[in-house]
Amino acid sequence: MELRFDMTYEDAYREVYEMVKPKYKLFTAGPVACFPEVLAIMSVQMFSHRSAEAKAVHVDTLNRLKAFLEADKGEIILFPSSGTGFMEAAVRNTIPRGGKVLVTVIGAFGKRFADVVNANGRKAVVFEKEPGQAIKPEELDEVLKKNPDVHAVTITYNETSTGVLNPLPELAKVVKEHDKLLFVDAVSAMGGAEIKFDKWGIDLVFASSQKAFGVPPGLAVAAVSERVFEIAEKMPERGWYFDLPLYKKFNEKKQGTPSTPPLPQIFGLNVVLRIVEKMGGKEAWLDMYRKRSEMIREGVKEMGLGILAEPGYESPTITAVVVPEGMKGVDVYNAMRERGFELAKGYGSVAEKTFRIGNMGYMTFDDIREMLDNLREAIEELKKK
């Protein structure tokens, strides 16, 4: 949807528009296609982030996220960053230098959390599964028994690189039994999979705007427990930009963020949360995601293609598809681009043998059917080469 305004220098706009104008139907891992309502609200003229209007939308967005994440006991934090900023915040605010963090890895983004832990002068104790597999509660329990000195556990709820959804409620229960902090990377899960912050005993769960919420990138969101703030207040050298207690104070006293936030993204997220409400609530919204992902998985299976995720642990937001013998994932990706569809290349250690189909953001079931029809034809053509 091209938004138009009265412009004195329309040629400047046109020059850039020709570079970025939509060419493909998006089934990506993110950023994803945005709802028209989101694009429309993001076109409003800017105003001060310290104004009464900005404060009103900030507080309203916090309240809506609190309800969506079922985080009555948690504090909602908005970062002007990608979701990775919360990885660094979790580590710097709660883990002493040299302290250990158990990082569970089921793909490339679990490995990123380990990199962040180590880069900040802490030690990552890595428990890694084969791509396509999920962490099981009994496995996590065993690893924690062998590593009682870790301060926290990280779990990638939905691994974007492999299309696997970890059994978070069961894993969270194990972490709590061992009395460890629980940090959850929900970047490609939040907005597409259930999250019950209070009930599951999560300490910090974070995501990015450009995934299942269907908003452009630039905003990270999280729910944070009181336990995290109690530890953080006493933690030396926790930094400034990602200082969690500072953000909590600004929520309370300034009704905003310490540094300038991406106002358009906050407006867009607020609109999406209202769409959820008008659609019938979170249950109806998540059911939409479940139906989308099931439709995609059933479609690719009918073509004789494999799913990387082990049965019962499939992601509701992205599917990693295993290509036939003799074919590369990038070949499928390129063939679909030629047909006007942007899927996602394979990622990490499974990059060559997979491609990924995202179902996040703005799309219809007719869009999915059209994509699957084209994918079927593309696969058959590649088999003949």
Side-chain angles (χ1 to χ4, degrees):
M1 181 179 66
E2 182 182 358
L3 300 173
R4 299 300 311 280
F5 309 91
D6 293 332
M7 292 183 284
T8 303
Y9 301 103
E10 184 169 350
D11 56 338
Y13 161 80
R14 283 291 167 197
E15 289 166 6
V16 177
Y17 182 76
E18 287 303 312
M19 297 168 64
V20 301
K21 66 182 179 182
K23 303 181 184 70
Y24 308 99
K25 289 192 175 180
L26 299 185
F27 291 84
T28 63
V32 301
C34 301
F35 287 81
E37 296 86 352
V38 168
L39 297 178
I41 195 64
M42 291 182 70
S43 71
V44 301
Q45 187 58 273
M46 286 294 92
F47 46 82
S48 170
H49 64 292
R50 300 299 183 208
S51 67
E53 292 81 5
K55 291 180 179 180
V57 74
H58 178 86
V59 171
D60 187 65
T61 304
L62 298 186
N63 289 337
R64 290 178 183 278
L65 278 169
K66 184 181 282 281
F68 187 84
L69 299 175
E70 299 185 32
D72 289 339
K73 298 178 182 177
E75 182 80 15
I76 304 300
I77 301 294
L78 303 182
F79 274 174
S81 76
S82 68
T84 306
F86 273 107
M87 289 185 178
E88 189 143 316
V91 173
R92 291 183 65 93
N93 280 260
T94 64
I95 313 299
R97 285 192 174 275
K100 296 180 180 179
V101 178
L102 176 60
V103 180
T104 62
V105 177
I106 61 171
F109 292 95
K111 291 179 180 178
R112 178 181 293 187
F113 218 141
D115 290 342
V116 171
V117 170
N118 291 327
N120 280 279
R122 282 73 172 172
K123 183 179 179 180
V125 178
V126 176
F127 174 54
E128 184 171 2
K129 297 292 293 287
E130 289 295 317
Q133 295 184 358
I135 304 291
K136 309 305 189 298
E138 60 274 15
E139 296 171 335
L140 181 59
D141 182 56
E142 189 64 28
V143 175
L144 281 169
K145 286 177 180 177
K146 294 178 180 178
N147 295 276
D149 57 342
V150 299
H151 294 265
V153 177
T154 76
I155 295 173
T156 309
Y157 188 7
N158 190 81
E159 176 53 63
T160 317
S161 68
T162 62
V164 173
L165 185 76
N166 263 320
L168 181 57
E170 292 87 350
L171 297 177
K173 182 179 179 182
V174 172
V175 174
K176 293 297 104 177
E177 288 172 350
H178 287 266
D179 194 28
K180 307 299 181 183
L181 290 167
L182 174 58
F183 304 147
V184 179
D185 172 353
V187 168
S188 61
M190 188 184 293
E194 182 66 90
I195 294 175
K196 296 179 179 291
F197 182 85
D198 292 341
K199 183 176 180 180
W200 296 350
I202 300 171
D203 288 295
L204 191 150
V205 58
F206 63 88
S208 301
S209 55
Q210 78 276 11
K211 302 285 187 175
F213 285 125
V215 175
L219 177 68
V221 305
V224 183
S225 73
E226 186 58 37
R227 184 183 183 189
V228 167
F229 291 112
E230 290 173 358
I231 296 172
E233 288 284 5
K234 303 172 185 177
M235 187 63 57
E237 299 180 348
R238 61 179 181 263
W240 190 91
Y241 194 77
F242 294 133
D243 180 345
L244 290 173
L246 180 63
Y247 276 80
K248 183 180 181 184
K249 291 173 184 175
F250 266 72
N251 274 350
E252 297 168 349
K253 297 180 179 180
K254 299 286 188 178
Q255 298 179 321
T257 54
S259 56
T260 308
L263 289 176
Q265 279 82 349
I266 295 175
F267 302 162
L269 178 58
N270 194 288
V271 165
V272 168
L273 294 169
R274 289 169 185 268
I275 291 174
V276 171
E277 184 180 284
K278 295 178 187 301
M279 185 181 287
K282 181 168 73 167
E283 184 175 342
W285 174 268
L286 296 181
D287 188 56
M288 172 191 72
Y289 267 103
R290 180 185 60 78
K291 289 177 179 176
R292 285 182 183 179
S293 60
E294 287 179 352
M295 185 176 179
I296 290 171
R297 288 197 302 273
E298 290 171 4
V300 298
K301 286 178 181 177
E302 288 174 2
M303 300 175 206
L305 303 177
I307 304 297
L308 184 63
E310 62 176 309
Y313 298 92
E314 300 93 345
S315 164
T317 61
I318 191 164
T319 301
V321 184
V322 181
V323 297
E325 194 71 31
M327 194 180 299
K328 294 182 178 180
V330 69
D331 296 333
V332 180
Y333 168 81
N334 289 330
M336 289 297 284
R337 271 178 67 92
E338 291 176 3
R339 290 170 168 268
F341 295 87
E342 179 84 11
L343 306 186
K345 296 178 183 178
Y347 197 93
S349 63
V350 294
E352 190 166 301
K353 71 175 185 179
T354 64
F355 65 92
R356 296 171 297 157
I357 305 173
N359 56 273
M360 294 175 277
Y362 179 65
M363 67 177 61
T364 66
F365 289 102
D366 285 340
D367 291 332
I368 296 174
R369 292 187 189 95
E370 184 185 7
M371 180 275 296
L372 290 171
D373 288 342
N374 277 268
L375 179 60
R376 185 178 297 105
E377 293 175 4
I379 293 292
E380 290 304 316
E381 290 175 2
L382 287 169
K383 285 180 178 179
K384 296 175 183 178
K385 291 184 177 181

